[in-house]
Amino acid sequence: MIAETLIEKAMKKAQGAQALLTQSEHTRVSFESDKLKSVESSQRTDIRLRVVLNGKVGLSNTTDINDLDGVVARAIECAEFGSSAHFQFPNPQEGTDVKIYDDKVIPVSKTEMVKISQEMMDLIKKYNPNIMVYAGVDKNVLKREFANSSGVKFTDEETHFSTGVFGVLVRGNDILEAGYGFGCKKRDIDHISIANRAVELFKMAENTATIKSGNIPVIFTPSGMEVLLLALELGFNGKNVFLGSSPLAGKLGEKIADERFSLIDNPLIDYASASRKYDDEGVPHQVTPLIDKGIVKSFLYDLDTAGRSGTKTTGHGIGCNPTNLVIKEGETSFEEMVKNTKEGLIVESVMGLGQGNPISGEFSVNVQLGYKIENGEIVGRVKDVMLAGNTYDALKNILAIGNKSEWVYGSLLTPYVQIGSLSVVAK
Amino acid sequence: MKFYEKEMIILRERLEEALRKSDAEYTEIRIEDVASSWISFRGEELDSIGSSKTVGGIVRALVKGGWGYSTFNDINNLNVRVKEACESAKMIGKEESKFAQVEPVVDCIKAELVKDFREISLSHKKSVIEEYNKIVLGYHEKIKTSIVAYGDSFRKIWFANSDGSYIEDERPNTTLYISATARDGDNVQHGMESTGGMTGFQIVEGFHEKAEASAKRAVELLSAPPVTGGKYTVITNPNLTGVFVHEAFGHLSEADFIYENEGMKEIMVLGKRFGSDILNIIDDGSYPGQIGTHKYDDEGVRTRKNYLIKDGILVGRLHSRETSAKMGEMPTGNARSIGYQFPPIVRMTNTYIDKGNSSFEDMIKDVKLGIYALDMIGGQTAMEMFTFSAAYAYMIRDGKIAELIRDVVLTGNVFETLLNIDMIGDKLEWAPGGPGGCGKSAQSPLPVGFGGPHIRIQNVVVGGRQ
């Protein structure tokens, strides 16, 4: 096992070490502009070593499996000037099993991947032959080998499968782009419903609606929820909390959102994109409630940040980033939300997210794909519209939460969420 | 002995031998060896110090209009990779290939570094950026934390194709990013500065004043009000003009959005007016000393100066060898890849609005209520619509710069906004480099140059509360 060999080599000089070897094989089929355009195969190797020498940390990476002595030497060199280690490498601990490997993924042939793409494309074309279609199918198999100097060692193997389709429709000087995609760790993906979802987005955009500047209720679709979640992903990151740049620092136990709003981080959902038994530091994954009934419950930590903060890792190494995020369902159907809205906006996707000051919760984005609601009905697509607000204000001003959750990109499970009022600026 | 010293002497022979195994109409192999190091502070403490070494390659094969790609880290089985790419291409190719012919070249480009970062110790690199971190953290009691991140990489590329081209290219890069975070209760504000470039370690030296400027701005923004959303006359400073032209027009001139889409071809027909007579937009991969500059693109095509808009009229676009052949236009040297994991696609290099003849005073003097927007945080485009955001801004009131404001994100539509540029400044400047860059089709970040003078735009929609 290469990871163990690396630990042996590193421990000749270092007092602690961890090594992670990742090897993957990936195949992708792509349609561009209505045509089968490319087939890609890729092979990847990645070795990451972290050593502790005299209480200091050094890192080194390589893609060359024959460069083990080199990667050890460079990590040791970095450690001489490295940051202080605020952690001990963990001892072996048993984790919770979660399904991450589907043996139906590898046998999917390139021909079958072409067929899936073609079927998605045909559905869009059947709706409107003028839409220029792009489609793709990916399959991936990834093996990890992990070891540390405290005796943790494991290997795991996971599969990933994803399909997506999007189209471009040009009408005069009007260009409409819409699409939908999904990926997870199992083969069983219904590409027909993905294509139908994309068609639905085009259908709702057949008409263009005008909207006046002002403050109106806004429904975020599951895809559109990224607007609100970006600030939370940054805000719950334990490193930002420790450094004081997160506005949630010091707010453990405080109410920051409507009591119907609950958010958990769950890496133990079978076949979800970010699911695994252990994190990249060999720590067993666990379910971490972040917001429960509007109240801040926990932040996300890796070993070093937990050490600095005087707490325990939550299994979010390395980097304190979320795994799969799950927002609790509410009681209102999407149809009811629309029906109950006199004038409002539906946001499916935006442009410019994260360009402002996202950690503060502030967002100011162009509504790339959004729809106007008038008197309880969706009347058409809006264009050249800016949406602005603050995630933390919005979470206190929730009008309704959907009663049905959907997966977005395989790592976010969320219902539709309607916010009482946000600022819309139109031409 | 290092990998390339031992093996690269015979690499050209191996590449050419593998190419001979191909039965595709066109085949290319690109091998890259990248050595990089990074040091970052977050707050008082060193956050991360490390180094990496990657070796990898890509084979691209074209058969009857279909492409096969094979990418890999193990470069010992080039023949197998060539075969794999050819088989993929054969499986899907169904039409006649179109691929622009270019004269084969054999060339070897050596990096020219004033201070070679590979010969500078990690401890010295660390001590240089530690000074900047101390300046930021010591500036004011409201400075809560900082990011000071240094990175360097030395990329060596070996490129060979079935036309007979063979190019060795060295692409060094050094970057520095400084972010100061000030906090007052729930109000968190940032000040950012960055630099970067291809000429060596000296680029990141002597950055003390900028470090202090980032901290000063973060603190000042705490008491700046957010912009009120609405429509404004906006003057952008040269750094922001650069990102504006990149988002507002650069992406739409990339021919891969156009070449197989009849509707897009109509919209983007050469000769169409997009701006007034004063507007000139250029992409130039041969512009000396910029971060998007290379002698050849990643298809072995010589880079050059390409006018996109001349006197307000669309006169050109950015091409790969495939898009140029399909549109019957000349290749422009704009097929670029961020690394061996990806095939080259149509990208910008250094994009700028050419200087005009207005002074800043002339631009501002008759603006009753407007915004002077400076420096960039970022931008994004979706075909006709685009956004870009300023790091900070001032209100313009009665022809004069007034109070500092924050959260200025601007949006526009390519068919209207360029026509709304009514004044262009008389001095062209380039934005400083840095670790960021342009993203497209999962390839990010690609170093691109952003340039321009001050410009004035009428009727810009600015997001914000009302």
Side-chain angles (χ1 to χ4, degrees), chain A residues 63-82:
Chain A
T63 55
D64 186 356
I65 219 155
N66 299 312
D67 186 36
L68 299 188
D69 289 320
V71 75
V72 169
R74 289 192 299 273
I76 297 276
E77 188 200 345
C78 289
E80 286 171 26
F81 315 102

Side-chain angles (χ1 to χ4, degrees), chain A residues 42 45 175 240 352 355 357 423, chain B residues 71 73 188 377 380 384 464 466:
Chain A
S42 65
T45 305
I175 311 170
N240 293 330
Q355 282 174 24
N357 182 5
S423 167
Chain B
T71 73
N73 287 122
V188 182
I377 298 178
Q380 201 180 345
E384 58 177 315
Q466 300 156 69

Side-chain angles (χ1 to χ4, degrees), chain A residues 5-22:
Chain A
T5 310
L6 275 167
I7 299 298
E8 270 167 40
K9 287 179 186 281
M11 291 303 282
K12 285 182 186 153
K13 282 193 174 167
Q15 289 91 46
Q18 88 170 45
L20 178 66
L21 163 71
T22 310

Side-chain angles (χ1 to χ4, degrees), chain A residues 107-171:
Chain A
V108 179
S109 67
K110 289 174 185 169
T111 315
E112 198 176 340
M113 292 166 79
V114 169
K115 186 168 161 270
I116 292 169
S117 307
Q118 183 75 50
E119 285 174 6
M120 290 193 294
M121 195 172 93
D122 290 347
L123 269 167
I124 310 266
K125 283 288 183 191
K126 196 176 136 202
Y127 160 68
N128 182 348
N130 295 323
I131 297 173
M132 191 62 78
V133 186
Y134 298 74
V137 177
D138 288 75
K139 71 166 183 176
N140 199 3
V141 55
L142 190 140
K143 288 181 200 172
R144 292 197 304 170
E145 255 186 34
F146 179 93
N148 75 13
S149 52
S150 299
V152 174
K153 56 181 175 188
F154 68 84
T155 58
D156 62 16
E157 188 165 8
E158 66 182 54
T159 50
H160 195 85
F161 196 74
S162 69
T163 67
V165 63
F166 86 97
V168 180
L169 179 61
V170 181
R171 296 172 290 195

